[in-house]
Amino acid sequence: MNELETAITATLQAEAEGAAMTTDTTHEHEILNDRLDDVDRHRRRITWVGAIAAAAAIVLVIVGVRTLGTSHIPEPVSPSPSSVPRHVTTAFRPTVSLVVPAWVRDSTSAISTENDREAKWSVCDGGCGKGPSSVLAVILVASVLDPRSPTGYSAANQPEKFLASLQRSEAAGSLAITDRSTTTVGGFPAIVLTIDERRNVSNGFGCEIAPDQRCYDLSSDWDRLAVVDYHGSTLVLAASTNRSATDAVKADIAAQFDQMLTTVRFDPRPSPSAS
């Protein structure tokens, strides 16, 4: 007990004992007992009030510590994903850098090849003996099939001419064009579209060298294309897979390809040397 509690108790006890010494009657004995009971109840009441107040103080301290602790401990921050390395062409011109999509990058059977007109990744699930299961390519197209030309080919040195060739093939029933839209790739205007090749046509896609060298066939594949107007040249980025692939596979390749387009960068075109 504190000093106040001790003083109150001593006073009550003194009062009771004084009364007991002045008389010895039964009535006074009962008064003494009542006073002593009052002393005991008063002491218990003070004890319980003190205990409740102490418990409340402890709870407030705990809540305060937790609150302060929460306000000062920062939320955990997820580590930022490591940057994916960019591929930079070496033989292909213009120099192109891009982030290769995961469906190529994560494959254990991807074969990469490159020359001055083409950079290509072939994913060979189960081996490439019967051809790759999917392809990612960056191509410079120089000529296309053209039945109106005496040679059977015409220059495709402008994207519009390459797109016109695809439209002629669509009119002939060799392919179907869907999901056409306009965008920019590496700062250059581009047309993005999907083609569904419906029959085999030798050299039907386009050729790297005019009039008919290093050509690509239409061969019943499914392709997602970006046709880029790079300073008047026809630069095509393509993601291809088997036409028989599931819609889910095609949708995944298309989504990753479209995302890849946002990562494409071209080196500045070199200035002509002084004559």
Side-chain angles (χ1 to χ4, degrees):
M1 294 185 293
N2 57 32
E3 292 182 2
L4 176 61
E5 295 169 2
T6 302
I8 293 172
T9 302
T11 301
L12 291 174
Q13 285 178 331
E15 244 180 70
E17 289 170 358
M21 288 189 298
T22 58
T23 182
D24 194 22
T25 64
T26 302
H27 175 69
E28 294 299 332
H29 181 70
E30 290 175 353
I31 292 173
L32 174 61
N33 287 334
D34 289 343
R35 291 295 181 93
L36 292 175
D37 287 342
D38 287 341
V39 170
D40 186 58
R41 282 195 295 271
H42 179 74
R43 183 167 53 234
R44 287 199 302 268
R45 185 167 61 250
I46 292 175
T47 302
W48 276 107
V49 170
I52 292 170
I58 291 171
V59 170
L60 289 174
V61 169
I62 291 173
V63 171
V65 169
R66 287 183 178 176
T67 303
L68 290 174
T70 302
S71 64
H72 286 83
I73 299 175
E75 291 293 326
V77 178
S78 301
S80 59
S82 58
S83 58
V84 179
R86 299 176 65 84
H87 177 86
V88 181
T89 61
T90 54
F92 183 85
R93 291 293 180 271
T95 300
V96 180
S97 69
L98 52 84
V99 176
V100 177
W103 59 272
V104 176
R105 188 175 67 246
D106 296 342
S107 173
T108 58
S109 60
I111 299 173
S112 176
T113 59
E114 188 177 336
N115 59 48
D116 61 324
R117 306 283 296 185
E118 169 197 294
K120 184 169 69 174
W121 295 261
S122 300
V123 178
C124 304
D125 297 334
C128 283
K130 295 183 179 179
S133 56
S134 56
V135 170
L136 174 69
V138 184
I139 308 164
L140 280 171
V141 177
S143 62
V144 290
L145 282 178
D146 188 353
R148 303 168 303 174
S149 169
T151 64
Y153 295 85
S154 63
N157 55 337
Q158 295 176 355
E160 293 79 7
K161 295 180 179 180
F162 174 77
L163 292 168
S165 174
L166 293 180
Q167 291 170 338
R168 287 195 298 270
S169 294
E170 182 178 40
S174 300
L175 57 84
I177 299 173
T178 57
D179 302 326
R180 177 169 172 161
S181 62
T182 59
T183 187
T184 59
V185 175
F188 294 87
I191 302 293
V192 180
L193 66 157
T194 298
I195 65 172
D196 191 6
E197 303 176 20
R198 296 187 169 175
R199 65 185 185 192
N200 296 339
V201 180
S202 296
N203 302 346
F205 184 85
C207 305
E208 294 175 354
I209 301 173
D212 58 353
Q213 299 296 311
R214 285 164 39 183
C215 302
Y216 290 85
D217 301 336
L218 294 177
S219 54
S220 300
D221 285 339
W222 174 94
D223 310 288
R224 182 71 170 162
L225 307 178
V227 184
V228 183
D229 185 347
Y230 181 76
H231 296 295
S233 298
T234 303
L235 189 148
V236 178
L237 297 100
S240 300
T241 191
N242 296 328
R243 187 183 177 202
S244 59
T246 65
D247 289 342
V249 168
K250 294 173 183 176
D252 185 44
I253 288 176
Q256 291 190 42
F257 177 79
D258 290 355
Q259 177 60 36
M260 181 202 74
L261 295 180
T262 66
T263 73
V264 173
R265 302 290 181 269
F266 299 99
D267 273 0
R269 191 180 189 190
S271 301
S273 58
S275 56

